[in-house]
Amino acid sequence: MARRKHKLLKIVGWILASVVSLILLLTLVFYLWRNFFMEKAVNYLNGQQPGEVQMGQMNLIPFLHFPDITLQLQSVDYYEQKKHSDSATSDPVISLDKVHVTLDALDLIRGSVMVSDLKLEEGRVRLEIYEDSISNLEYALGIRFGEKTKKDSTESTSSISVDLDAISLSGILLELDHRVRGDRFLLRVNQLESNFSYLTDLVEAEVELDIDINQVKYLTINEIGERNVNLEGSILLNSFTKVLEVKPSSLKVSGLDLETWGTYNSASIPSVDFSYQATNEGLEVLNFLFRGILDLDEIEQIGSGTMQLSGEVKGNLGEELPVFRLNGEAHELGFRIKSLNKDVTGISFNVFATNGSKLDLSESYIDITGFR
């Protein structure tokens, strides 16, 4: 019995050693022909759209997501137009230090490419909307967002497809400039982790997001200064029952902590059933909410007051509004009237509000008690 067990372990060991040796041999072949493979991949990508991909180096990491294959792409730049050696220098639309792409091994054996995992590290995405309302990314890709593209039956079908199980971003600077309106957004994605799972009639997605908003210039808003936003959420979509479930998910931004959960039913009569609770311990959120209602050049919130909110949104969508209910408590709020150089502090109250269910809001109601 012992000899038979020893023989079995020996066979398993030889099989494992053979598999590892084969992988190492393939890795060696890859590195010997790395520049050839990289040139073929770049030429293929550049032949699919008007923009141009440039790449510094390609590495193979065979055991990172074994049995799938992971490629590490370094110094990846994506330009709006094909660059010539004598052309003036232009900034790339996308510039990334490292890109990890995981490819399904079975699909590679069959002669196709399936991207199942994507990781982007350290870089910049520069989006610019021109006078014709078309962005540099649309020109680079040769498409127009929001328009349906007609398929040419004479063109060969691309062998590259994307079915992501996970996507990760870290240290990515995002810039958006609108040339006509003058809008500008500047933010940094510190970390984004998103995972997807697919079962029969079920799709589950989880996301963790940590970003810093550095500038927002839109209409009357012109804010410069770092604002951190942290989001953790999870959803479950049942395509058979047409129910989207939002599991307890949280949002934290500038002193605001918000948590929500519930369901959206897209059946014959769509309906929502959500609950929420929120706490604000800072000034940024209330000052932002008051924008457009109060003249913030004249009045602003001050002090360390807090607000706590809870409630629900429940009902059908269509001829009636879903009923929105809000319960709130304010503690030690303060405001400064700048023109009078006066501060009003120590404000506390309880509030209840609802919109009712009628579209004309005739059933809306607000009640403020305990004001002091």
Side-chain angles (χ1 to χ4, degrees):
M1 183 69 180
R3 292 181 59 186
R4 184 177 298 176
K5 184 177 180 181
H6 176 74
K7 186 176 180 180
L8 179 61
L9 291 175
K10 189 175 180 179
I11 294 174
V12 172
W14 274 108
I15 293 175
L16 292 176
S18 300
V19 171
V20 172
S21 299
L22 178 60
I23 293 174
L24 293 177
L25 178 60
L26 293 175
T27 303
L28 177 61
V29 171
F30 170 84
Y31 278 102
L32 290 174
W33 292 82
R34 173 168 56 182
N35 291 336
F36 171 78
F37 292 137
M38 185 175 71
E39 183 179 350
K40 293 287 286 185
V42 170
N43 289 339
Y44 176 81
L45 292 174
N46 289 336
Q48 301 300 307
Q49 30 74 42
E52 180 179 34
V53 176
Q54 293 186 0
M55 191 183 307
Q57 185 169 296
M58 177 188 292
N59 297 321
L60 175 64
I61 309 177
F63 297 107
L64 184 61
H65 293 102
F66 186 80
D68 292 336
I69 297 172
T70 300
L71 296 175
Q72 182 194 72
L73 316 177
Q74 297 184 359
S75 301
V76 179
D77 293 328
Y78 184 44
Y79 292 89
E80 180 180 341
Q81 300 176 3
K82 300 290 191 295
K83 290 177 62 66
H84 303 285
S85 58
D86 58 347
S87 64
T89 302
S90 62
D91 292 333
V93 180
I94 301 173
S95 180
L96 300 168
D97 287 353
K98 292 181 182 179
V99 179
H100 292 82
V101 181
T102 300
L103 309 176
D104 188 281
L106 292 178
D107 284 297
L108 282 177
I109 295 174
R110 298 186 185 112
S112 60
V113 178
M114 172 67 75
V115 180
S116 60
D117 192 289
L118 183 64
K119 184 176 182 180
L120 312 179
E121 295 182 5
E122 300 297 329
R124 176 189 179 198
V125 177
R126 183 185 59 86
L127 299 178
E128 192 169 358
I129 301 176
Y130 300 130
E131 288 79 0
D132 56 5
S133 299
I134 300 175
S135 69
N136 55 351
L137 183 59
E138 290 173 291
Y139 276 118
L141 294 173
I143 63 174
R144 300 294 179 264
F145 298 143
E147 293 184 2
K148 293 183 179 180
T149 57
K150 296 181 179 180
K151 294 185 178 180
D152 188 349
S153 58
T154 62
E155 294 182 355
S156 59
T157 304
S158 172
S159 60
I160 298 180
S161 56
V162 177
D163 188 9
L164 291 176
D165 296 321
I167 183 172
S168 173
L169 282 73
S170 61
I172 306 297
L173 184 67
L174 300 178
E175 300 179 55
L176 172 62
D177 286 291
H178 198 300
R179 285 189 178 181
V180 178
R181 298 204 305 250
D183 300 337
R184 176 172 171 79
F185 298 89
L186 179 62
L187 60 89
R188 175 183 172 84
V189 180
N190 300 317
Q191 193 70 38
L192 169 64
E193 298 287 345
S194 185
N195 298 292
F196 307 90
S197 61
Y198 309 91
L199 302 173
T200 304
D201 296 326
L202 290 176
V203 178
E204 185 171 8
E206 298 179 354
V207 61
E208 294 183 12
L209 175 65
D210 181 4
I211 65 174
D212 291 329
I213 302 176
N214 299 316
Q215 182 179 3
V216 176
K217 185 180 179 183
Y218 180 71
L219 298 178
T220 61
I221 301 174
N222 188 6
E223 298 286 345
I224 300 177
E226 187 173 298
R227 304 286 188 273
N228 181 259
V229 177
N230 190 284
L231 170 67
E232 294 183 10
S234 177
I235 62 172
L236 182 65
L237 174 63
N238 189 318
S239 59
F240 179 74
T241 61
K242 298 183 178 180
V243 173
L244 173 68
E245 178 186 358
V246 177
K247 298 183 179 179
S249 302
S250 65
L251 172 67
K252 297 180 181 180
V253 51
S254 297
L256 171 69
D257 291 348
L258 171 67
E259 184 177 12
T260 185
W261 60 94
T263 58
Y264 168 70
N265 192 327
S266 60
S268 56
I269 303 179
S271 64
V272 294
D273 186 357
F274 283 93
S275 299
Y276 64 90
Q277 58 186 23
T279 301
N280 175 50
E281 297 180 349
L283 309 179
E284 304 293 346
V285 172
L286 288 183
N287 285 338
F288 181 79
L289 293 176
F290 287 146
R291 184 182 301 275
I293 300 175
L294 299 177
D295 184 355
L296 294 182
D297 291 330
E298 291 295 327
I299 186 171
E300 67 175 342
Q301 186 201 358
I302 61 173
S304 57
T306 64
M307 290 192 68
Q308 295 178 330
L309 305 174
S310 63
E312 64 179 10
V313 181
K314 187 175 184 178
N316 296 330
L317 302 173
E319 296 181 357
E320 293 185 343
L321 290 174
V323 178
F324 173 83
R325 294 185 177 89
L326 177 146
N327 292 283
E329 295 182 7
H331 300 281
E332 301 297 325
L333 297 182
F335 296 91
R336 173 171 296 151
I337 305 174
K338 297 179 181 179
S339 61
L340 301 177
N341 196 25
K342 294 291 185 180
D343 295 344
V344 181
T345 59
I347 301 174
S348 300
F349 58 87
N350 298 324
V351 60
F352 170 78
T354 180
N355 63 324
S357 60
K358 293 187 177 180
L359 294 175
D360 60 3
L361 300 179
S362 59
E363 296 180 348
S364 59
Y365 173 76
I366 184 170
D367 182 28
I368 299 177
T369 59
F371 188 88
R372 60 186 187 278

